[in-house]
Amino acid sequence: FRRVLFRSHWKTDCREVNTFRGHSHGVWAVAFSPDGQRIATGSWDNTAKLWEATTGKELLALKGHANWVMSLAFSQDGQQLVTGSSDQTAKLWETVSGKELLTLKGHSGQISAVAFSPDGQRIVTGSHDRTAKIWDAHRKEMPTLIKSSASIGSVAFSPDGQRIATGSYNQTVGEWDAVDGRQLLSFRADTTAIRSVAFSSDGQRIVTGGYDQNAKVWEAASGKLLLTLNGHTSSVDRKSTRLNFS
């Protein structure tokens, strides 16, 4: 992990395209920009980096966190990146210049998951302090609080931006009103921690992944299990496999 840290850009036929070198420690989080032209990585070296996806060229190093970068996400227009860290803060960055735009403080545990709303106006952060917080993406103000019964390992906005899904370490998925933080639904989704959640494009289904080596598809309105996807030999984990619908 010291020199070649990110080797995960592959063709769909599983041919390696690029190796990305530059971090001085392990890579914990990765994401493609919406246009597919850039890749963001978050590392135990306390930095995030932006790379040209086709060449592997390092474009920017984002320095400012005092501990590991555990999670990251692009805005829908690709102009901003949010990072969540073990230093209990999230930071908002401009992806062209690398300028730090905002530091979001308020969690009392590491921030393990972050997501932008579809319109880019809000950010949700999920933490090991058993809360998620909904922030204004443009100014510092008191966030809307979501209280969970366990550490939160994953978060996602619904496509219409009206709901938030959280996956927790007590095997439950929560659905919340994205405006006032009110809980809409909670259901037990696994026998282990929920490490990844995502909505379908119509917002009618939620897919979850955890340490039981399965992915599961649920009806978002009721929490009814629709489908279990078997075949993995290890955990279905946000940090290595981001769940998504086509």
Side-chain angles (χ1 to χ4, degrees), residues 67-180:
N67 212 323
W68 301 349
V69 177
M70 306 292 293
S71 52
L72 46 77
F74 280 97
S75 59
Q76 287 294 318
D77 62 8
Q79 297 302 302
Q80 295 180 334
L81 185 80
V82 60
T83 55
S85 172
S86 290
D87 67 9
Q88 304 177 9
T89 72
K91 290 181 181 290
L92 186 65
W93 311 83
E94 192 175 79
T95 58
V96 174
S97 67
K99 178 183 178 182
E100 182 182 320
L101 301 173
L102 204 59
T103 297
L104 305 175
K105 298 179 180 180
H107 282 291
S108 59
Q110 73 177 35
I111 297 176
S112 52
V114 295
F116 272 98
S117 61
D119 63 5
Q121 300 302 303
R122 291 166 294 163
I123 293 166
V124 61
T125 55
S127 172
H128 281 203
D129 66 7
R130 301 187 179 187
T131 72
K133 295 178 187 289
I134 307 166
W135 311 79
D136 188 295
H138 301 291
R139 61 183 182 271
K140 292 182 179 180
E141 60 179 30
M142 288 297 293
T144 300
L145 179 66
I146 291 173
K147 292 184 178 181
S148 176
S149 57
S151 297
I152 294 174
S154 51
V155 295
F157 270 97
S158 62
D160 62 4
Q162 298 302 304
R163 291 167 292 154
I164 289 169
T166 58
S168 298
Y169 280 74
N170 64 350
Q171 302 94 44
T172 62
V173 171
E175 288 187 62
W176 315 82
D177 187 289
V179 176
D180 60 19

Side-chain angles (χ1 to χ4, degrees), residues 215-234:
K216 296 178 180 179
V217 182
W218 310 83
E219 186 176 72
S222 67
K224 177 184 176 181
L225 179 63
L226 302 175
L227 189 64
T228 298
L229 307 174
N230 302 303
H232 286 289
T233 58
S234 187

